[in-house]
Amino acid sequence: MSRHVFRRISIMTAAVLLVSVLLTACGTASGKDSGHQLKVKIADISTNPIFRVAVKKGFFEKHGIDAELVNFATPAEGVNALFIKQVDIAFGADFPLLNAVSKGDYAIFASSGTATDLSASEWKMFARKEIAGPADLKGKKLSYSRGTFIPYLWDVYLQQNGIALKDVTLVGQGGFDETYVALKKGEIDAAWVYGSVLNDKFAALSEAHELSDMSQTPVRLGTGLIAGTKLIQDHPDELVQLLKALDETSDYVQAHPDETADIMYDEVKQPKEATLKDLPKNPWKIGFTQQAYDGLAGQKKYMVETGIIEKDFNLNDKLNLDLVRKAFPDRVIELK
């Protein structure tokens, strides 16, 4: 082989290698190349189908998100896991979200759109059989899950029925299993629980009965997404895609309830009938409505007044709606 031919082959080989390197660095148009995926840990609970279906059916992957789910007993525990960097993104009700943003450099960046009357009706209050009406709660022991909005719900419900919060004893508990045993034994007199599985379980107690549900109060439970402000600042485009993935997943689970129920049974052994009961009552619609804002504002006021939040803050400063506005501009309010 001549020196001239060898030189041409070497140049061509180098060119091919260069193109290969550039293609690898740039990724593919579908966004599935690992170099273009945002790798995040997301806090989850065993009764929420959205994240699991997003992983199982490839919606996260389609939108360039490499998601690892970290399971917790409650959303509040998942939000608290942000503090120790166990997760990057969490979802939860207004109470733990406000608690988190009051203590650290975090921002609420979307709402799930589940603050509805129908969803509220799934929060049932079970009381001991001897409690025939709200007036009988005076002087009783009322359960709440630590780090959740339930003390606020009790306050509103009791005020509606002419009972002062000081006239009852709130008993903090770690989870609904603990609550179930305590109600059965008479160690507490009433508790709020949520979802078909828990509602059926508590309704089967011979010692208790359903007294009310949250739709009979003005409280509507907003559910939001939260992350560190640095993650939001560093990866805005990727998080826009994450929101789109979640919205597509919500449409999918509503259109495919039986498949979703199968996935939830396979993943966490949730009974299929429970998933089928819960799905129609909790469709996610990613955005940020006035109702979501008002829920946060009302609960923040309560938390500041009761000393749960030690230092007040401007709520708007803790909302970053740029991502959801880019993803779904017609579903987001303008902050005043």
Side-chain angles (χ1 to χ4, degrees):
M1 182 184 297
S2 70
R3 183 184 303 173
H4 179 69
V5 172
F6 180 80
R7 185 167 177 269
R8 286 182 61 189
I9 292 174
S10 298
I11 292 171
M12 290 173 64
T13 302
V16 169
L17 288 172
L18 178 60
V19 170
S20 176
V21 169
L22 288 173
L23 286 173
T24 301
C26 293
T28 62
S30 67
K32 293 183 180 180
D33 184 84
S34 61
H36 270 251
Q37 285 188 321
L38 175 65
K39 189 175 179 67
V40 289
K41 291 183 178 180
I42 302 176
D44 199 8
I45 59 173
S46 61
T47 56
N48 172 37
I50 300 297
F51 297 140
R52 295 184 191 281
V53 174
V55 171
K56 186 76 173 178
K57 300 302 295 183
F59 290 108
F60 277 144
E61 183 183 9
K62 172 186 172 183
H63 287 274
I65 305 298
D66 180 5
E68 177 186 344
L69 304 184
V70 183
N71 208 52
F72 296 92
T74 65
E77 289 183 12
V79 173
N80 289 338
L82 287 168
F83 298 146
I84 57 174
K85 302 188 185 303
Q86 190 176 354
V87 297
D88 305 298
I89 296 170
F91 82 107
D94 297 339
F95 186 105
L97 296 183
L98 290 165
N99 184 54
V101 298
S102 74
K103 293 178 178 178
D105 200 9
Y106 306 99
I108 300 163
F109 65 95
S111 171
S112 69
T114 52
T116 64
D117 294 348
L118 186 58
S119 180
S121 70
E122 280 296 283
W123 276 97
K124 312 285 189 185
M125 193 245 284
F126 290 93
R128 298 278 298 178
K129 287 287 189 183
E130 59 268 25
I131 297 173
D136 296 331
L137 291 172
K138 190 172 182 177
K140 297 295 194 269
K141 296 178 180 179
L142 311 181
S143 170
Y144 73 95
S145 299
R146 298 185 190 96
T148 72
F149 80 109
I150 294 177
Y152 173 63
L153 176 57
W154 274 125
D155 193 18
V156 172
Y157 177 81
L158 293 170
Q159 282 188 41
Q160 274 187 304
N161 291 283
I163 304 171
L165 197 60
K166 64 180 178 61
D167 292 330
V168 301
T169 301
L170 293 185
V171 179
Q173 297 181 307
F176 290 119
D177 288 341
E178 183 181 344
T179 302
Y180 176 84
V181 173
L183 186 61
K184 183 177 177 66
K185 290 182 176 179
E187 296 169 353
I188 59 171
D189 299 293
W192 294 92
V193 299
Y194 176 79
S196 295
V197 172
L198 287 171
N199 287 335
D200 290 347
K201 182 177 181 178
F202 277 71
L205 279 172
S206 60
E207 299 85 356
H209 67 119
E210 181 183 331
L211 189 63
S212 187
D213 68 66
M214 195 168 76
S215 70
Q216 306 305 308
T217 78
V219 178
R220 295 296 175 268
L221 184 61
T223 300
L225 293 163
I226 184 171
T229 54
K230 188 175 188 309
L231 180 70
I232 295 172
Q233 290 167 358
D234 291 349
H235 300 281
D237 294 337
E238 291 91 338
L239 291 178
V240 168
Q241 293 304 312
L242 180 139
L243 293 177
K244 290 182 177 180
L246 294 178
D247 202 64
E248 283 187 33
T249 304
S250 179
D251 289 343
Y252 188 88
V253 301
Q254 294 299 324
H256 301 84
D258 291 320
E259 183 182 1
T260 299
D262 287 338
I263 290 172
M264 291 300 288
Y265 181 78
D266 291 342
E267 296 274 332
V268 295
K269 295 297 181 280
Q270 174 162 285
K272 295 178 184 179
E273 59 272 18
T275 301
L276 293 172
K277 283 183 183 178
D278 287 341
L279 275 181
K281 299 172 183 176
N282 295 285
W284 280 32
K285 190 176 179 67
I286 299 295
F288 200 89
T289 64
Q290 188 64 47
Q291 193 172 27
Y293 185 89
D294 292 344
L296 282 166
Q299 193 151 327
K300 183 177 85 75
K301 182 175 182 292
Y302 167 81
M303 294 172 76
V304 171
E305 289 175 349
T306 55
I308 297 170
I309 291 177
E310 296 179 0
K311 186 177 180 181
D312 199 2
F313 58 89
N314 187 322
L315 178 59
N316 290 11
D317 293 341
K318 295 296 185 175
L319 300 175
N320 187 324
L321 304 185
D322 293 342
L323 308 180
V324 71
R325 185 170 287 111
K326 187 172 181 181
F328 307 107
D330 60 330
R331 305 183 196 172
V332 186
I333 61 169
E334 291 291 338
L335 296 178
K336 299 175 183 178

